[in-house]
Amino acid sequence: MKKKSINRYIGVVAMCGILLWGCEEEAANNAPPEKGQASASVSETLLVNGQSAEFIDESGQTVKRIWNFEGGNPKQSTDPNVEVMYENAGEYKASLTLEYESGLSELVVFPIKVLPDLEPRIGLDLLESDSGFHISIGDEVKFLDQSIGEPDQWEWIFEGATPLSSTEQNPSITYNTLGDYDVTLKTTRNNPDGSTEMVVMSELIHVNSIIPVVANFEVDKKILAPGESIAFTSKSLGSPDVFEWQFEGGVPTTSTSKNPSVKYNNSGWYNVYLKTYKASRPENYDEIDTLVVYVRAEDQLCTASPNLLACGNFDLESEDISEWVAGTSGSVIDRMPKLSYSPTLGKDGSGAIIFEFDGNGAPVVQFYSQQFEVKAQGDYTFSADLYAETLPATGGNPMVVEVSLISNHSGNTELYKSWQAPAGMKDQWYRANVIKTLPPGKYNIAFKVYNGAARWRFDNVAVVRN
C-alpha cells in the first residue's frame, strides 16, 4: 500500500513560571530542554472492512511509545511498526503517545475511516406495494442512490424509460409506455479498492393508466404538550407532487412541503387538512380533513405520559395496560388475564380495552385504569363508550356495569359513582357521560361488571376539565 505520511505536533511547553522561591536566574543560565521530534505515519486512512493499515513511528529522542487503535486489531502496541486490521466499518481514531528523553510528551492522532463492502441499493420517493412501485403513464420518477459503501460512479439502466440510461447519482426518469420494467444500477468505488457491484431489480416499475390520487398521511404522535411539534408524513397514493396543508392552531398554519413539521402552542383539539395532486394533472386531486391533534393543557390532568389510559385529556386508548389492576371485588383474585387491548373492537373500528367476564366464581369484578392526577380543583366531564357483547353462557341474565372515579383503588372505595349502564344492555354501544367536581388528588377510573357473561369493551375513556 502507498505510504502516506501524517506528522502532527502537539507541543507541550515547559515553563518555569513564578514560584514562591523564584527561578528567573536558573532560567537565564539554562536553555529549555529539547522536546524531541515526532515522526509517525500510516499507510492508509481510508480502508474497507477486513483491510489492514501499517503504522510506523520513527520519532527521535523517545523513551516510551504507546499506540492505541480504536476499532482495530490489535487494540494497543508499543512496537515502532504495527500492522492493524479493521474488521468493522466505522470511523475510528488511532493515537500514538510519545514520551521524550526531556520528560515531555506528545500525542499524534490519525483519523481512520473504514467503509463496508460496496452494495448498490435503489430508492424511490414513492410508496411501495408488495409488487413494486406503481405509477401513471407519463410520470417522472426520481431515483435515489441509497448504496452502501460510498460509491463514486453510477451506471443506471432504465428499461422502457426516457432516457434509457444515466450516470447521475440521483436521476429523474420518465415512463411513457404501459408495462412492467426492470431497473439496473451498477456502482463503482475507485477509492480505496476499485470494487464494482451491480443490482438488477426485476419489474420494479409498473406503469399503469392514470392512477387516481388518494390523499393520506400519518403523524409521529397525536397527543402533545403546548410548544411541542408533530412530524407529518404524506402517505398519499398516485405519486402526487403538490401538497397543500392547512394546520388549524398550528405554526405554521399552512405548508406545501411533502412532510412538514408543525408546532402547537395552545391546548385543544385541532383539524388537519391535506389536498394533494400531480402538478401535471391538477384536476386529479384528493383531499382529507380530519381531527388528528390533541394538545393537552399543562394544568389539567395527566402529569406523566399522555400515553396513560383514561388520563383525562384525550379519548384514545393505548396498548399498554401494564399498570391496570383487575381483581374480584373484595378479594385479591387476579383477573388480569381477562383484560386485554384490541386495536379493532372499539367504536368506529378504533381500539378498545376488552374485559372477558365469564361470571364463573366471581359474581362481581372491578378493575382500574392507570392513575391520573387532578392538579386544579374544578368541574370535570367524565365519559366513556361501553359495549356488552353477549357470550353463549349469558343465558338471558342481565348484564350491568358501573363506572366510578376512585382514589388510588384503595379498598374499592367509590368516591364518585359516575354512571350505571341499564340492566340487560346487550350488543350495542352506550355512552356514559357525567360532570363531577374534583379536588386536587390522584384518581383511578373503576369499572365494575357483574351478572351475565359478556365481552365488555371500553372505548374513548376521557376525563376533561370543563
Side-chain angles (χ1 to χ4, degrees):
M1 285 184 273
K2 184 179 179 181
K3 181 175 178 181
K4 179 174 16 177
S5 294
I6 301 179
N7 296 321
R8 298 188 177 185
Y9 303 94
I10 303 175
V12 180
V13 180
M15 298 183 64
C16 185
I18 301 175
L19 303 179
L20 292 176
W21 57 87
C23 59
E24 294 181 2
E25 181 179 353
E26 181 181 350
N29 296 328
N30 295 284
E34 294 186 8
K35 180 182 65 174
Q37 181 65 45
S39 178
S41 63
V42 59
S43 58
E44 298 291 344
T45 58
L46 181 63
L47 307 168
V48 176
N49 54 305
Q51 287 188 340
S52 298
E54 184 180 6
F55 293 84
I56 300 175
D57 173 36
E58 298 175 332
S59 305
Q61 303 180 44
T62 61
V63 294
K64 185 178 181 180
R65 77 173 59 82
I66 300 178
W67 292 97
N68 285 284
F69 304 107
E70 180 186 12
N73 184 20
K75 299 289 186 184
Q76 195 175 78
S77 177
T78 57
D79 296 337
N81 301 336
V82 189
E83 184 173 345
V84 181
M85 197 265 282
Y86 291 86
E87 296 182 355
N88 300 312
E91 295 188 13
Y92 306 104
K93 289 182 180 179
S95 63
L96 171 63
T97 302
L98 297 168
E99 292 186 12
Y100 298 108
E101 295 172 352
S102 63
L104 302 179
S105 62
E106 190 166 5
L107 178 68
V108 183
V109 178
F110 301 95
I112 304 295
K113 186 172 184 178
V114 183
L115 298 176
D117 292 334
L118 189 63
E119 180 183 344
R121 291 187 179 183
I122 299 173
L124 294 91
D125 192 15
L126 298 170
L127 291 181
E128 185 175 10
S129 70
D130 293 338
S131 59
F133 297 90
H134 292 260
I135 64 172
S136 299
I137 189 170
D139 279 355
E140 182 181 75
V141 178
K142 177 76 170 181
F143 286 87
L144 305 174
D145 168 48
Q146 297 179 343
S147 302
I148 296 175
E150 300 185 13
D152 45 38
Q153 293 183 35
W154 303 267
E155 297 179 33
W156 297 85
I157 299 176
F158 303 104
E159 181 185 23
T162 303
L164 291 173
S165 62
S166 176
T167 57
E168 296 180 9
Q169 183 178 4
N170 301 307
S172 294
I173 306 299
T174 302
Y175 288 85
N176 293 311
T177 306
L178 299 177
D180 303 321
Y181 301 109
D182 300 346
V183 176
T184 301
L185 173 59
K186 178 182 177 181
T187 57
T188 299
R189 181 176 59 198
N190 288 322
N191 189 19
D193 58 345
S195 62
T196 297
E197 295 292 339
M198 185 174 70
V199 62
V200 179
M201 304 297 292
S202 299
E203 297 188 356
L204 180 67
I205 303 296
H206 305 278
V207 183
N208 311 276
S209 299
I210 302 301
I211 299 175
V213 171
V214 179
N216 195 16
F217 63 88
E218 65 180 24
V219 293
D220 63 341
K221 53 188 171 183
K222 291 185 177 181
I223 305 160
L224 67 162
E228 292 183 343
S229 297
I230 295 180
F232 293 85
T233 302
S234 172
K235 292 295 182 179
S236 303
L237 303 177
S239 306
D241 50 24
V242 178
F243 304 90
E244 299 175 0
W245 297 87
Q246 295 180 21
F247 304 103
E248 179 187 13
V251 179
T253 57
T254 62
S255 177
T256 56
S257 298
K258 181 179 181 181
N259 303 315
S261 180
V262 181
K263 179 189 289 187
Y264 290 85
N265 293 321
N266 301 308
S267 61
W269 286 101
Y270 298 108
N271 283 291
V272 174
Y273 169 82
L274 171 62
K275 179 180 179 180
T276 185
Y277 53 90
K278 292 187 69 67
S280 59
R281 292 190 291 271
E283 72 283 355
N284 181 25
Y285 73 89
D286 191 33
E287 55 189 346
I288 181 173
D289 188 356
T290 180
L291 184 74
V292 69
V293 180
Y294 181 74
V295 184
R296 55 190 174 89
E298 293 181 337
D299 64 342
Q300 293 183 358
L301 314 179
C302 302
T303 57
S305 166
N307 199 32
L308 289 176
L309 295 174
C311 74
N313 290 314
F314 61 99
D315 63 356
L316 303 172
E317 276 68 43
S318 162
E319 296 182 27
D320 182 12
I321 59 173
S322 60
E323 294 186 24
W324 282 63
V325 178
T328 300
S329 181
S331 72
V332 294
I333 299 177
D334 180 18
R335 305 291 289 183
M336 282 300 292
K338 299 292 184 179
L339 191 67
S340 63
Y341 171 83
S342 168
T344 58
L345 290 180
K347 192 172 185 180
D348 302 321
S350 60
I353 302 300
I354 309 296
F355 186 76
E356 295 274 359
F357 181 58
D358 53 24
N360 296 324
V364 178
V365 172
Q366 183 157 293
F367 59 96
Y368 316 91
S369 72
Q370 292 169 273
Q371 192 173 85
F372 63 91
E373 183 177 5
V374 173
K375 301 185 74 173
Q377 179 167 325
D379 291 339
Y380 293 82
T381 297
F382 165 76
S383 58
D385 290 314
L386 311 171
Y387 189 102
E389 178 184 352
T390 57
L391 300 178
T394 300
N397 294 327
M399 294 168 292
V400 179
V401 61
E402 293 177 356
V403 188
S404 307
L405 290 175
I406 64 172
S407 177
N408 297 324
H409 59 77
S410 175
N412 295 341
T413 302
E414 297 175 3
L415 299 183
Y416 304 95
K417 180 178 290 186
S418 302
W419 183 83
Q420 179 172 313
M425 166 184 168
K426 294 182 181 181
D427 303 317
Q428 54 187 311
W429 283 101
Y430 278 86
R431 179 72 170 173
N433 195 307
V434 69
I435 298 176
K436 293 290 182 182
T437 301
L438 300 180
K442 295 182 179 180
Y443 299 88
N444 299 81
I445 295 176
F447 302 91
K448 181 185 290 186
V449 296
Y450 47 94
N451 289 338
R455 179 182 293 112
W456 287 94
R457 308 179 197 175
F458 302 88
D459 194 12
N460 298 324
V461 179
V463 178
V464 180
R465 186 177 181 181
N466 297 338

